[in-house]
Amino acid sequence: MFGIWLMLHVDRARLAARLSEMAMVGATGRGGVHRLALSDADRQARDLLDAWCRQKGFSLEVDTVGNMFASRTGRSSEAPPLLIGSHLDSQPNAGAYDGPVGVLCALEVLESLDDLDVETRQPVQVVNWTNEEGARFRPPLLASGVFAGIYDAEFALNCRDVEGIRFGDELQRIGYAGPRQPGWPISGYIEVHIEQGTVLEATGAVVGVVTGVVGIRDLQVTVVGEDTHAGPLDMRSRRDALLGAAEMIVAANALGLEHAPDSRVTVGRIAVPSDSHSVVPGLAEFTLDLRHPESNGLDSLEKAARERFQRIAHDRNLELRFKQMFEYPPVAFDISLRDEIRSAALGLGHPALDLPSRAGHDAWNMARVAPAAMIFIPCRDGISHNEREFAEFEHIVAAADVLLNTVASVTKSR
Amino acid sequence: MFGIWLMLHVDRARLAARLSEMAMVGATGRGGVHRLALSDADRQARDLLDAWCRQKGFSLEVDTVGNMFASRTGRSSEAPPLLIGSHLDSQPNAGAYDGPVGVLCALEVLESLDDLDVETRQPVQVVNWTNEEGARFRPPLLASGVFAGIYDAEFALNCRDVEGIRFGDELQRIGYAGPRQPGWPISGYIEVHIEQGTVLEATGAVVGVVTGVVGIRDLQVTVVGEDTHAGPLDMRSRRDALLGAAEMIVAANALGLEHAPDSRVTVGRIAVPSDSHSVVPGLAEFTLDLRHPESNGLDSLEKAARERFQRIAHDRNLELRFKQMFEYPPVAFDISLRDEIRSAALGLGHPALDLPSRAGHDAWNMARVAPAAMIFIPCRDGISHNEREFAEFEHIVAAADVLLNTVASVTKSR
């Protein structure tokens, strides 16, 4: 435990400058960024991080799936490093906070350790994970998944975007296909991230101590009817797949609300291949994203969705297919790291609150291989994946300070 | 009136051969065709029609928007020609009957007039209209609309497909930008087409005498909410544009059913730009296609749709925008041509039935400038704009025979 007089502080001005410079990379002009994984904008963001790290003399390494690591040496050359960081890629036309705030707070901590002459036992590494969002290459959390041994590097390199462009080819093109095999031992992982919800805001807490991540299960739902002309056929004889899908979307939302407050049910993508104003759609495909803190909660949401959709399909003379796209089981974060984060927040005088994450994060993958934890920053109106995403600079500084003190504490000799 | 012993007949074998050869152009391999306007497949279909016409010595002309005309001279060189035909372009992955059957029945009639030494007063012209479907270049019925003076040729030439490719450039590319100004005087227009509904099939009629075309009004509906992350935000705080659109699609269908049997209400296209499994969509756009035999029926459908959508938008804290894309007012076909068609059907011994068309056709545009009429062919299960579209060959022959006798009758000297 620190007393308040012993707490460390980051360099606010430097952090502010880096946040604004990074927000200009892939800026949409409306306060957001459009920085899809392995795009030219992603390359620019990486180049900027690289330049900052080199300036400070931190050694930089890139692994074979493009994850970037900047290291500050520790007293012991054998102790596995403590990893801190997040991601620089974004959703399409998204905010400037989701991801970069975690990478730049981590970099700020690395620099502050230098400035404050803090010696750590093990090395501390700042990481920028490739393709966290999964907006361009499915699945999300891809390259941290490779680091954690969930996927082979080959799997990631062979992923393709909607235009058929290969992850591995894009990685080569932007110059971030590194030599190092991902997956070396680490002593822990801590990630700063915006909450993307309203829990902290509603309670007035400044620092979120994340207890774990809810489980997420993603399904692809295909509704099959019959393409027909919009005019001549009697409306009662139609087998309208989009109409069926619309009823399912309404049913999915009702299902989520019935299982509030733990559940989230979302339809985020829909495709109607016939795509003509005068064709009654014979095929509609949509995604179904289920979130719940318990595995059996996911099972029960899926079961209920299948039953309701099946009833709709039956009533409308439609066929229905389900395909599971990916699943992240619920995880709990490391108790001892959570205690360290809470102590740091209290020591700094910031009101802290325990809460679960309902979004997937790279920390989820890391929790499989090392003690992991996250620090949440309040986020205005809970809006994220949107250009209007916003976090108070004071709250970002608070998270950086908490991370700095947590890192200093857990890397002390003991 | 003909007696049954005087009726003319087309060459069944030739018609069968031409239908199958044309169905191979742009064939999908599953019984349908994919022959979008001004595509390479459309060019091949045009080349085939051109070759058949040249073989028989019919003079061929192409106008500046790509409409093709094959002429057989009449006794009088001054009388405006009688136009017969339809279109060779198709919807995506559609049937082989919607369009080509009308062009090939018309060509068969031209050849049969030769074979049977029938002299006509005015010239008879077979027409293949460009971009009837509107699947590639909006609006549909584009080049017949230019011929009828509804659009300028420049308007058509500057239309662009979703990839931004210009109609005029594609027309040049496939070699069908002709020299003739569209819009010369004609004495009438008759089009053979599949019904695309089940009225003829249900009643056992073989020949449909089309009374007119219902009005069609197309709107673009934009639903605006807020892009947010699928996980953290409370589901009740969402402003989910796709959920609102889904409720509107369900409401639109209910509206159409309430106004049965005259109305058709269809949502055929939907787009969700955020397009991510983990983003609650903040924007959804869809088309609303309204069909009704009366103009005030269209008004009342649109009014009801706007009211219901507005209520849904209000309840879900969404904004709503409507944009009218195009409108075709209802038209009635020429009484005297309808009588001729009915007489020919009766003379040939084919059960005939009067019915309206609920789909747009080039005859709709032609009805503005000349006496126009249509002959419908029964179509299995009413399925159209689908690879499973099917019409009995016997029914196609019946329509060709009816067209032949109708043309012979209306072009007699009198």
Side-chain angles (χ1 to χ4, degrees):
Chain A
M1 259 319 195
F2 299 94
I4 201 156
W5 54 90
L6 288 173
M7 302 309 288
L8 309 173
H9 289 277
V10 299
D11 182 333
R12 308 161 56 91
R14 182 172 54 201
L15 179 56
R18 299 226 152 131
L19 285 167
S20 15
E21 198 171 343
M22 186 57 81
M24 290 167 65
V25 180
T28 60
R30 292 176 301 276
V33 300
H34 183 83
R35 209 159 58 206
L36 300 185
L38 310 188
S39 63
D40 289 345
D42 188 16
R43 185 212 324 234
Q44 283 176 51
R46 289 162 176 265
D47 289 351
L48 191 57
L49 177 64
D50 181 273
W52 286 332
C53 292
R54 284 181 199 282
Q55 258 171 33
K56 291 303 174 105
F58 301 131
S59 75
L60 235 134
E61 285 181 298
V62 180
D63 71 17
T64 57
V65 290
N67 296 318
M68 298 171 68
F69 301 86
S71 297
R72 180 172 181 267
T73 50
R75 219 168 21 250
S76 155
S77 59
E78 280 150 42
L82 174 68
L83 227 56
I84 54 177
S86 191
H87 61 96
L88 293 175
D89 71 321
S90 86
Q91 290 280 334
N93 298 307
Y97 300 84
D98 171 0
V101 158
V103 176
L104 299 187
C105 281
L107 175 63
E108 178 54 41
V109 165
L110 216 60
E111 298 186 70
S112 292
L113 291 172
D114 257 15
D115 296 349
L116 302 167
D117 279 329
V118 178
E119 194 182 64
T120 62
R121 189 172 59 86
Q122 65 270 57
V124 179
Q125 286 187 326
V126 171
V127 60
N128 166 36
W129 300 111
T130 304
N131 193 52
E132 191 268 353
E133 294 290 359
R136 181 170 178 198
F137 299 99
R138 302 289 298 269
L141 314 182
L142 182 57
S144 64
V146 174
F147 191 93
I150 296 163
Y151 310 116
D152 291 339
E154 277 308 302
F155 169 79
L157 297 174
N158 288 319
C159 284
R160 288 176 190 273
D161 69 9
V162 287
E163 282 164 8
I165 301 172
R166 217 175 132 262
F167 181 106
D169 295 339
E170 280 294 87
L171 197 60
Q172 286 285 350
R173 184 185 70 82
I174 68 164
Y176 280 89
R180 193 164 180 193
Q181 289 306 314
W184 52 89
I186 59 172
S187 69
Y189 177 73
I190 311 174
E191 180 169 358
V192 168
H193 206 281
I194 56 168
E195 181 200 341
Q196 308 179 292
T198 54
V199 175
L200 295 175
E201 191 177 54
T203 55
V206 168
V207 174
V209 184
V210 187
T211 54
V213 186
V214 302
I216 303 183
R217 186 175 295 172
D218 252 50
L219 304 166
Q220 174 88 13
V221 183
T222 305
V223 187
V224 185
E226 180 104 62
D227 279 359
T228 44
H229 192 297
L233 188 69
D234 183 88
M235 283 185 68
R236 282 178 209 286
S237 306
R238 291 180 175 181
R239 299 178 60 211
D240 184 340
L242 176 55
L243 176 61
E247 291 180 327
M248 292 172 200
I249 291 167
V250 173
N253 186 67
L255 178 67
L257 289 175
E258 286 162 30
H259 291 72
D262 282 339
S263 303
R264 298 287 184 277
V265 178
T266 304
V267 177
R269 312 182 82 179
I270 185 163
V272 170
S274 53
D275 197 33
S276 168
H277 72 101
S278 63
V279 177
V280 176
L283 183 63
E285 294 188 298
F286 61 89
T287 55
L288 184 69
D289 180 281
L290 307 173
R291 299 182 186 220
H292 198 279
E294 311 285 339
S295 276
N296 55 15
L298 287 178
D299 291 342
S300 115
L301 282 177
E302 181 179 341
K303 183 162 175 287
R306 281 178 182 262
E307 283 169 4
R308 293 181 193 198
F309 291 4
Q310 205 66 64
R311 209 171 311 135
I312 291 164
H314 178 265
D315 290 351
R316 296 228 166 262
N317 192 19
L318 300 166
E319 286 158 46
L320 195 57
R321 289 196 289 271
F322 288 88
K323 185 177 166 195
Q324 182 164 325
M325 302 305 282
F326 61 85
E327 169 155 3
Y328 292 96
V331 297
F333 285 142
D334 184 71
I335 293 275
S336 140
L337 280 181
R338 283 156 57 187
D339 287 345
E340 292 280 0
I341 291 167
R342 199 179 304 102
S343 299
L346 294 178
L348 288 157
H350 297 308
L353 185 79
D354 280 19
L355 79 171
S357 169
R358 297 185 190 279
H361 293 291
D362 295 306
W364 204 358
N365 286 333
M366 289 305 105
R368 300 207 185 184
V369 293
M374 291 187 78
I375 300 164
F376 268 176
I377 298 170
C379 151
R380 191 170 62 194
D381 297 333
I383 292 168
S384 184
H385 288 188
N386 183 303
E387 293 169 299
R388 288 183 43 220
E389 181 181 271
F390 178 76
E392 293 277 355
F393 180 61
E394 286 309 315
H395 296 163
I396 298 173
V397 173
D401 281 345
V402 169
L403 181 63
L404 173 61
N405 287 282
T406 304
V407 167
S409 172
V410 304
T411 57
K412 272 195 302 200
S413 287
R414 45 182 179 178
Chain B
M1 251 335 181
F2 301 94
I4 200 155
W5 54 90
L6 291 172
M7 301 309 289
L8 308 173
H9 288 278
V10 301
D11 181 334
R12 307 162 57 90
R14 182 172 55 202
L15 179 56
R18 299 224 153 131
L19 285 166
S20 14
E21 199 172 341
M22 186 57 81
M24 291 166 66
V25 180
T28 61
R30 292 177 302 275
V33 299
H34 183 82
R35 209 159 59 206
L36 300 185
L38 310 188
S39 63
D40 289 346
D42 188 16
R43 184 211 327 233
Q44 282 176 55
R46 288 163 176 264
D47 289 350
L48 192 55
L49 176 64
D50 181 273
W52 285 333
C53 292
R54 284 180 198 284
Q55 257 170 35
K56 293 300 174 107
F58 301 131
S59 75
L60 235 134
E61 286 181 297
V62 180
D63 70 17
T64 57
V65 289
N67 296 318
M68 298 171 68
F69 301 86
S71 298
R72 180 174 180 266
T73 50
R75 219 170 21 250
S76 155
S77 59
E78 280 150 42
L82 174 68
L83 227 57
I84 56 178
S86 190
H87 60 95
L88 292 175
D89 72 321
S90 86
Q91 290 279 335
N93 298 306
Y97 300 85
D98 172 1
V101 157
V103 176
L104 299 186
C105 281
L107 176 62
E108 178 53 41
V109 164
L110 216 60
E111 298 187 70
S112 293
L113 290 172
D114 257 16
D115 296 349
L116 302 168
D117 280 330
V118 177
E119 197 184 62
T120 62
R121 189 170 59 86
Q122 66 270 55
V124 179
Q125 287 187 326
V126 171
V127 60
N128 167 36
W129 301 111
T130 303
N131 194 51
E132 190 271 352
E133 295 290 1
R136 182 171 177 198
F137 299 98
R138 302 292 296 270
L141 314 182
L142 182 57
S144 64
V146 174
F147 191 92
I150 297 163
Y151 310 116
D152 292 338
E154 276 307 302
F155 169 79
L157 296 173
N158 288 321
C159 284
R160 289 176 189 272
D161 68 10
V162 287
E163 283 164 7
I165 302 173
R166 218 176 130 261
F167 181 106
D169 295 339
E170 280 294 86
L171 197 60
Q172 286 285 351
R173 185 186 69 84
I174 68 164
Y176 280 89
R180 194 165 178 193
Q181 290 305 314
W184 51 90
I186 59 172
S187 69
Y189 176 73
I190 311 174
E191 179 168 358
V192 168
H193 206 281
I194 56 167
E195 182 201 340
Q196 308 178 291
T198 54
V199 175
L200 295 175
E201 191 178 57
T203 55
V206 168
V207 174
V209 183
V210 186
T211 54
V213 185
V214 301
I216 304 183
R217 186 176 294 172
D218 253 48
L219 303 165
Q220 174 88 14
V221 183
T222 304
V223 187
V224 184
E226 181 104 61
D227 278 359
T228 43
H229 193 295
L233 188 69
D234 184 270
M235 283 185 66
R236 284 179 209 286
S237 307
R238 291 180 176 182
R239 299 177 61 212
D240 184 340
L242 176 55
L243 175 60
E247 291 180 325
M248 292 172 200
I249 291 167
V250 173
N253 186 67
L255 178 66
L257 289 175
E258 286 162 30
H259 291 72
D262 282 339
S263 304
R264 299 287 185 275
V265 178
T266 305
V267 177
R269 313 181 80 179
I270 187 163
V272 171
S274 53
D275 197 33
S276 169
H277 73 102
S278 63
V279 178
V280 176
L283 183 62
E285 294 188 297
F286 62 89
T287 56
L288 183 69
D289 179 282
L290 307 174
R291 298 179 188 223
H292 198 279
E294 311 284 340
S295 275
N296 56 14
L298 287 178
D299 291 342
S300 116
L301 283 176
E302 181 179 340
K303 181 162 176 286
R306 281 178 181 261
E307 282 169 6
R308 293 182 193 198
F309 291 5
Q310 206 65 64
R311 208 171 312 135
I312 291 165
H314 178 265
D315 289 352
R316 296 228 165 262
N317 192 18
L318 301 167
E319 286 157 46
L320 194 57
R321 288 197 289 270
F322 287 88
K323 184 177 167 196
Q324 181 163 325
M325 302 306 281
F326 61 84
E327 170 155 3
Y328 292 96
V331 297
F333 286 141
D334 184 70
I335 294 274
S336 140
L337 281 180
R338 283 155 60 185
D339 286 346
E340 292 280 1
I341 291 166
R342 201 179 302 103
S343 299
L346 294 178
L348 288 157
H350 297 308
L353 185 78
D354 281 19
L355 80 173
S357 169
R358 296 184 191 281
H361 292 291
D362 294 307
W364 204 357
N365 286 333
M366 289 305 106
R368 300 207 184 185
V369 292
M374 292 187 78
I375 301 164
F376 268 177
I377 297 171
C379 152
R380 191 169 64 195
D381 297 334
I383 293 168
S384 184
H385 289 188
N386 183 304
E387 294 168 300
R388 289 182 45 220
E389 180 181 85
F390 179 74
E392 293 278 353
F393 180 61
E394 287 308 316
H395 295 164
I396 297 173
V397 172
D401 282 345
V402 169
L403 181 63
L404 173 60
N405 288 280
T406 303
V407 167
S409 172
V410 303
T411 57
K412 271 194 303 201
S413 288
R414 47 182 179 177

